[in-house]
DNA sequence: AAAATAGTGTCTATGAGACACTATAGT
DNA sequence: ACTATAGTGTCTCATAGACACTATTTT
């Protein structure tokens, strides 16, 4: 009997189910920049547990589905969005993190321009855009605070920690990966882009320095038009140039 | 009836088990630097599936256990090591990644000085230290290649991809987090440290530049002794200074 | 003395912050 | 003409690579 048949027979008889298994969910820090500040989409929990509290959009991963698939499904169902930039953040598996029982959450962050996000949110009213305050002087494992007009919003489960980690991750990757462009409309001015960077970084940056870096990166290409109608000199419009900067 | 009682009653009756759940495992890229090169600990699979192939040490997460707990347990059982630096890498949840069925793997990387690792491996002989080749010019999702004296070692499941990601993660964090010290003995020379950096980076660095950076970082403190017995001028010994560089 | 390794001096290139300056639109 | 915003010139400072040099030990 050869090894391949042997393995095939083994697999047919194999039963993973002998051991207890956790539920696996995805939770998504769906981020955008609005009014010059970082915001996250939050859904109000309709049922128990933690009814009435606000949570990151999420859901259980279904059989035959990859976690990335689940993220796409959750975003589509809860916000109507497709083709959103998403990246894995971290996995939270503390056995006590969810009062319903053993739930391992794979956390993702997603970035989408405000306008697209707002368009999706008009349909559902159990979902809001809340401003995210990242406590500064943040080392690691810093919890974010979500704020709406009504004041601070209490988050469910460990979602404040996830949100904080997501904000810090985005901040840390900002200069190394072209993720800020995921938050921009198709055409934007360098000033717009700088405001997005500043919102994500939580601090101001020098104008000239910023322009040099962006233009030198080659990630941006002028469209050849300018944005008029403002009350001063019109700014050149740019678009994100996805080309991998070929040699 | 108040909200708290309501929620308590709900939780008592709640059954997560209505939905199918995956098994959740941890896989550990246990890394060290030996002979001036990155190495990983690999265990030979005793049973099916993929019997005879080499895999990262790993195991299923048990009920009541956090993934970090599971990592600690696996390291203790398979290598005898405790107090090892570990950090989460990423979670791999593709439904087809394991032929046994639906297994979500939370991948970690762990760093340990060679001497400690070798001491642990002497007890078990189904575990080896294999050199890790990270294909250069690596963008992302680069698979590593494990090499032993006998030549290239075929890895089980998606472990080559995990190992590649781990190597790149360590490389990327090297200058931003004091992780290289996790690979050093208690006392070391700056030359030793530089060789470790070079092994992880996969390239040489300038001696003077390296010394300036390390000494300026304040992460290192001279012990006040030197290492003699070499065939030239003895080098000053340093130790890792974990103090958070107080103001 | 020669070899080998530890450790330093110093030049240059690069890149980012600071900030004053010029340019061009609307009113 | 005035104001507001876009865009540039240029100085300084910090950091890292290059590389030659000095220092100290073993043989």
């Amino acid at each position: 009997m050869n090894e391949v048949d042997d393995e095939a027979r083994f697999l047919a008889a194999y039963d993973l189910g002998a051991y207890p298994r956790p539920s696996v969910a995805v939770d998504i820090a769906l981020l955008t920049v609005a009014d010059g500040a970082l915001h996250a989409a939050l859904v109000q929990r309709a049922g128990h547990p933690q009814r009435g509290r606000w949570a990151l959009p999420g859901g259980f991963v279904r059989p035959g589905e990859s976690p990335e698939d689940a993220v796409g499904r959750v975003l589509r169902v809860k916000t109507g969005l497709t083709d959103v930039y998403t990246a894995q953040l971290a996995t939270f598996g503390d056995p006590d993190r969810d009062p319903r029982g053993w739930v391992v959450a794979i956390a993702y962050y997603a970035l989408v321009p405000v306008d697209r996000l707002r368009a999706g949110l008009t349909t559902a009213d159990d979902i809001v855009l809340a401003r995210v305050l990242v406590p500064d002087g943040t080392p690691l494992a810093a919890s974010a605070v979500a704020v709406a007009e009504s004041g601070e919003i209490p988050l469910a489960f460990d979602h404040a920690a996830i949100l904080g980690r997501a904000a810090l991750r985005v901040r840390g990757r900002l200069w190394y990966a072209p993720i800020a462009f995921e938050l921009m409309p198709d055409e934007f001015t360098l000033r717009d882009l700088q405001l997005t960077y500043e919102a994500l970084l939580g601090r101001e940056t020098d104008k000239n320095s910023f322009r040099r870096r962006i233009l030198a990166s080659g990630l941006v290409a002028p469209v050849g038009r300018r944005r008029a109608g403002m009350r001063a000199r019109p700014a050149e419009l740019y678009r994100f140039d996805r080309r991998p900067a070929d040699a």
Side-chain angles (χ1 to χ4, degrees), chain A residues 15-16 30 35 38 48 57 99 154 194 206 237:
Chain A
D15 182 18
L16 274 172
L30 177 55
D35 306 324
L38 180 66
H48 282 303
Q194 185 177 1
D206 180 75
L237 286 169

Side-chain angles (χ1 to χ4, degrees), chain A residues 199-213:
Chain A
L200 296 175
L201 292 171
R203 61 177 179 81
E204 298 194 336
T205 62
D206 180 75
K207 177 170 58 165
N208 196 8
S209 194
F210 179 81
R211 299 176 136 262
R212 272 182 311 206
R213 286 179 80 158

Side-chain angles (χ1 to χ4, degrees), chain A residues 118-154:
Chain A
R118 281 232 171 82
L121 299 197
T122 50
T123 48
D125 58 6
D126 62 336
I127 184 165
V128 298
L129 217 49
R131 185 167 172 182
V132 177
L133 300 183
V134 185
D136 44 21
T138 41
L140 247 175
S143 288
V145 174
V147 178
E149 301 76 32
S150 49
E152 190 171 322
I153 291 181

Side-chain angles (χ1 to χ4, degrees), chain A residues 15-196:
Chain A
D15 182 18
L16 274 172
Y19 306 96
R21 288 165 294 179
S23 298
V24 173
V26 293
D27 284 325
I28 308 163
L30 177 55
L31 304 175
T32 195
V33 169
D35 306 324
L38 180 66
H39 285 67
L42 298 175
V43 299
Q44 190 162 31
R45 291 192 56 79
H48 282 303
Q50 313 227 11
R51 182 162 69 184
R53 291 178 85 99
W54 295 82
L56 301 179
F60 292 105
V61 180
R62 296 177 180 169
E65 197 181 47
S66 72
E68 290 74 22
D69 291 338
V71 169
R73 174 173 52 79
V74 167
L75 288 177
R76 183 163 32 76
V77 168
K78 301 215 175 177
T79 69
L81 294 168
T82 56
D83 296 315
V84 175
Y85 174 87
T86 59
Q88 201 183 100
L89 178 62
T91 296
F92 297 79
D94 187 74
D96 303 320
R97 61 173 292 281
D98 191 316
R100 286 169 295 189
W102 191 15
V103 180
V104 172
I106 311 174
Y108 287 77
Y109 62 93
L111 304 175
V112 69
V114 222
D115 296 339
R116 285 186 64 199
L117 182 52
R118 281 232 171 82
L121 299 197
T122 50
T123 48
D125 58 6
D126 62 336
I127 184 165
V128 298
L129 217 49
R131 185 167 172 182
V132 177
L133 300 183
V134 185
D136 44 21
T138 41
L140 247 175
S143 288
V145 174
V147 178
E149 301 76 32
S150 49
E152 190 171 322
I153 291 181
L155 296 187
F157 311 124
D158 52 0
H159 288 188
I162 296 176
L163 198 49
R165 288 270 294 265
L168 291 179
R169 175 74 61 91
V170 169
R171 191 177 282 184
R173 288 194 66 195
L174 198 52
W175 293 114
Y176 304 105
I179 56 178
F181 302 101
E182 307 296 342
L183 296 168
M184 305 304 294
D186 286 346
E187 298 184 350
F188 51 86
T189 67
L190 291 184
R191 176 65 179 155
D192 294 338
L193 186 63
Q194 185 177 1
L195 288 172
T196 297

